Amino acid sequence: EAQVTQNPRYLITVTGKKLTVTCSQNMNHEYMSWYRQDPGLGLRQIYYSMNVEVTDKGDVPEGYKVSRKEKRNFPLILESPSPNQTSLYFCASRGGMNTEAFFGQGTRLTVV
Amino acid sequence: QQQVKQSPQSLIVQKGGISIINCAYENTAFDYFPWYQQFPGKGPALLIAIRPDVSEKKEGRFTISFNKSAKQFSLHIMDSQPGDSATYFCAASLINSGSARQLTFGSGTQLTVLP
């Protein structure tokens, strides 16, 4: 089954404690991206990757890092999480420039 | 600065009624306009999409109307059903300066269809 898998689904952490949210896709897609979803703001892109070792900032990259060492994986790293990063995060992948984006099921992160 | 403005924020419709969600954009470089449907606990899923060279696209009960000159587009759900209850996001897409296709989302509309 074609899917984008995120882990964990839920995470509560404390301010400043580094964390990683993993994202994996089994569709051999080149494009992957991370979004955060906040009430009244829709989804905003954090980072995206056009291929292995090629990443770029989206609209709200501050406080986040990503890496793309393998085509299937695109982890989101919060080096020093802060409460304003409490949000619902989605990973997405796309096969080509003009193809549909597939989203994971989301990771709800709470930073206290 | 929100490049895609969506309204209303929430919508309640009776079963069998028509649901209408509106979006407006500013950037004329957008060349692809998808709508996503999101159920609680799930990620958004593509519902229907349109390109600016057509004024309307229909798929089953779902229709996108597109007005290029007004820079507006809307989603119409005919014969709305309780199973349509979800959050709907409009989006606009372009190829950015880095040659990547980028999606910009509206703020979302929570649709409730009463039985």
Side-chain angles (χ1 to χ4, degrees):
Chain A
E1 180 188 354
Q3 58 186 5
V4 178
T5 304
Q6 295 179 226
N7 280 297
R9 293 290 310 278
Y10 302 91
L11 180 60
I12 301 175
T13 190
V14 296
T15 299
K17 185 176 181 182
K18 180 179 178 179
L19 67 91
T20 299
V21 183
T22 64
C23 174
S24 180
Q25 50 93 3
N26 63 0
M27 296 169 279
N28 201 35
H29 284 171
E30 293 178 343
Y31 296 83
M32 297 185 74
S33 53
W34 277 102
Y35 295 85
R36 60 178 288 173
Q37 181 178 351
D38 301 290
L41 296 176
L43 289 94
R44 294 177 293 167
Q45 192 179 57
I46 302 170
Y47 267 94
Y48 65 94
S49 170
M50 293 173 66
N51 214 326
V52 175
E53 301 292 0
V54 181
T55 63
D56 207 347
K57 296 177 181 178
D59 297 318
V60 287
E62 294 78 19
Y64 304 95
K65 286 176 56 177
V66 293
S67 69
R68 188 92 182 272
K69 294 185 171 62
E70 304 167 282
K71 198 172 186 178
R72 63 182 291 127
N73 295 324
F74 190 44
L76 179 70
I77 304 156
L78 285 72
E79 295 264 357
S80 183
S82 62
N84 65 12
Q85 293 179 297
T86 293
S87 187
L88 179 59
Y89 290 86
F90 287 100
C91 178
S93 74
R94 176 189 289 132
M97 188 76 78
N98 295 316
T99 58
E100 175 186 349
F102 291 87
F103 285 81
Q105 291 201 307
T107 295
R108 185 165 292 282
L109 171 66
T110 302
V111 184
V112 298
Chain B
Q1 179 188 1
Q2 193 160 28
Q3 293 192 54
V4 179
K5 294 185 178 179
Q6 183 171 347
S7 63
Q9 188 173 359
S10 62
L11 180 62
I12 300 175
V13 173
Q14 292 286 341
K15 178 182 176 181
I18 302 173
S19 304
I20 302 174
I21 303 170
N22 300 299
C23 285
Y25 65 97
E26 291 295 325
N27 191 343
T28 55
F30 289 132
D31 63 356
Y32 178 67
F33 300 88
W35 285 87
Y36 284 83
Q37 181 186 54
Q38 183 182 32
F39 292 106
K42 302 291 186 182
L46 180 67
L47 181 64
I48 186 173
I50 196 168
R51 296 200 180 274
D53 52 346
V54 297
S55 60
E56 186 175 283
K57 184 173 182 180
K58 184 176 180 179
E59 289 184 2
R61 295 184 294 109
F62 300 91
T63 299
I64 300 177
S65 297
F66 187 84
N67 186 329
K68 189 174 181 178
S69 60
K71 291 187 282 188
Q72 295 175 347
F73 58 111
S74 59
L75 176 70
H76 297 235
I77 306 174
M78 312 300 288
D79 187 27
S80 298
Q81 299 296 311
D84 297 331
S85 296
T87 300
Y88 292 81
F89 292 96
C90 63
S93 179
L94 55 72
I95 297 175
N96 65 18
S97 57
S99 300
R101 180 160 286 284
Q102 197 158 358
L103 273 174
T104 300
F105 286 84
S107 54
T109 296
Q110 187 161 351
L111 171 66
T112 303
V113 181
L114 301 176

